[in-house]
């Protein structure tokens, strides 16, 4: 199996090194294309207004000035020599990618771009870096077996797998739960205003570390309960109940002003 690795924390991130060790338990045909610096929160951003520079670090390792989406596109279309990768792994992200955050995650975006190009994609994230860092032990212990099983059973072409590992000692993690995407009941994104030495305002965007009260069966609840969460995601964001209700009131000839 040929595997392409990417991430959004950058080519030198510890999580990417952990992902290399995970992939090495599955194959020796590993390629890497990752951003040259952190691109967290980049989502599915594609670089269109400036050129992307690529640096080859060794025969199968590349860094780029682009986003995770750029990296997967370049890896599959240009940089991986010979046959197309059989699988793209994105991560292991430093911090969980759960609930509504998956729409802005560069880690998840890397897997989505693979899916869009016809290659199965899996995003992997490790919870706990804001709550007492245990490193990537849980991801390294369990990811190879989960990935192997997912590849064996397969999944729909328009779907990516989003795997999150809890912040627990390996011995205490005893369950994998297949979950749905949750949604927080607490607003955790913050804007902090500061002033520079010349009196000009600037802003930092970030997250407040506050846990919500998620429903059973969601990715959030599984992680809070110390379980590994596996969530099948797709990018069809259509809300079908609204489609059906609007057809009765808005369908047909367009209304005039």
């Amino acid at each position: 199996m040929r595997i392409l690795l990417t991430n959004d924390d950058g080519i030198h991130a510890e999580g990417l090194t952990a992902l290399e060790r995970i992939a090495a338990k599955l194959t020796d045909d590993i390629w890497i294309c990752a951003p040259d610096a952190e691109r967290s929160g980049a989502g599915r951003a594609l670089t269109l207004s400036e050129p992307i520079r690529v640096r080859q670090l060794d025969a199968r390792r590349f860094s780029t000035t682009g986003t995770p989406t750029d990296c997967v596109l370049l890896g599959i279309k240009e940089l991986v020599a010979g046959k197309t990768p059989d699988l793209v792994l994105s991560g292991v992200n430093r911090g969980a990618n759960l609930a509504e955050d998956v729409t802005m995650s560069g880690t998840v975006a890397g897997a989505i771009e693979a899916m869009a190009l016809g290659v199965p994609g899996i995003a992997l994230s490790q919870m706990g870096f804001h709550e007492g860092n245990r490193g990537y032990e849980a991801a390294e212990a369990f990811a190879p077996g989960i990935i192997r099983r997912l590849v064996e059973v397969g999944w729909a072409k328009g779907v990516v797998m989003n795997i999150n590992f809890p912040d627990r000692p390996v011995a205490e993690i005893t369950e994998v739960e297949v979950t749905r995407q949750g949604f927080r009941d607490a607003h955790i994104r913050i804007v902090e205003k500061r002033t520079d030495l010349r009196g000009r305002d600037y802003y930092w965007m970030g997250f407040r570390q506050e846990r919500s009260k998620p429903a059973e069966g969601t990715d959030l609840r599984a992680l809070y309960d110390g379980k590994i969460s596996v969530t099948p995601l797709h990018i069809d964001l259509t809300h079908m109940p609204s489609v059906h209700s609007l057809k009765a009131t808005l369908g047909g000839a367009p209304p005039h002003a």
Side-chain angles (χ1 to χ4, degrees):
M1 182 165 57
R2 171 167 288 187
I3 300 179
L4 173 64
L5 310 183
T6 194
N7 71 354
D8 71 357
D9 289 327
I11 190 70
H12 301 297
E14 292 180 5
L16 184 58
T17 302
L19 189 61
E20 288 183 68
R21 291 192 289 264
I22 291 167
K25 295 181 180 179
L26 304 169
T27 184
D28 59 3
D29 192 356
I30 299 170
W31 296 71
I32 298 168
C33 186
D36 60 1
E38 184 174 348
R39 301 285 191 276
S40 294
R44 290 205 69 209
L46 188 67
T47 303
L48 300 174
S49 59
E50 59 187 36
I52 300 171
R53 308 293 181 183
V54 177
R55 182 182 179 191
Q56 185 166 4
L57 304 176
D58 62 35
R60 296 182 180 182
R61 178 186 294 266
F62 302 87
S63 68
T64 86
T65 57
T67 65
T69 296
D70 295 326
C71 289
V72 173
L73 179 60
L74 283 166
I76 292 175
K77 293 291 188 180
E78 291 288 334
L79 302 177
V80 175
K83 76 182 186 77
T84 300
D86 301 297
L87 179 68
V88 171
L89 301 179
S90 185
V92 177
N93 191 68
R94 187 177 184 273
N97 278 303
L98 302 165
E100 65 271 24
D101 297 344
V102 300
T103 60
M104 67 182 73
S105 165
T107 302
V108 175
I112 290 175
E113 182 63 14
M115 177 272 291
L117 296 172
V119 178
I122 300 176
L124 302 99
S125 302
Q126 174 67 61
M127 186 183 186
F129 289 89
H130 300 288
E131 301 170 347
N133 182 7
R134 298 181 191 277
Y136 297 91
E137 293 178 2
E140 291 195 53
F142 296 109
I146 294 172
I147 294 167
R148 188 178 292 112
R149 182 60 177 150
L150 285 171
V151 170
E152 288 173 355
V153 300
W155 62 88
K157 290 184 178 180
V159 171
V160 301
M161 293 295 168
N162 186 36
I163 307 175
N164 282 272
F165 298 91
D167 178 34
R168 296 281 180 93
V170 169
E172 295 181 11
I173 301 173
T174 60
E175 186 174 346
V176 177
E177 183 176 355
V178 178
T179 58
R180 68 183 186 275
Q181 181 185 344
F183 198 88
R184 292 180 179 86
D185 58 4
H187 185 72
I188 65 169
R189 289 186 290 280
I190 58 175
V191 177
E192 183 174 307
K193 181 179 179 180
R194 299 183 183 182
T195 304
D196 67 20
L197 295 178
R198 296 185 179 183
R200 295 177 298 191
D201 294 335
Y202 67 98
Y203 300 85
W204 274 106
M205 307 291 189
F207 295 90
R208 181 173 58 250
Q209 299 306 313
E210 179 180 330
R211 291 196 171 191
S212 60
K213 299 176 182 178
E216 295 292 332
T218 61
D219 49 8
L220 285 162
R221 172 53 59 196
L223 265 289
Y224 292 172
D225 291 344
K227 302 174 185 177
I228 300 168
S229 169
V230 178
T231 311
L233 300 174
H234 63 100
I235 59 173
D236 180 358
L237 303 181
T238 309
H239 185 247
M240 291 309 299
S242 295
V243 170
H244 297 314
S245 64
L246 283 171
K247 280 184 176 180
T249 58
L250 195 59
H256 293 284

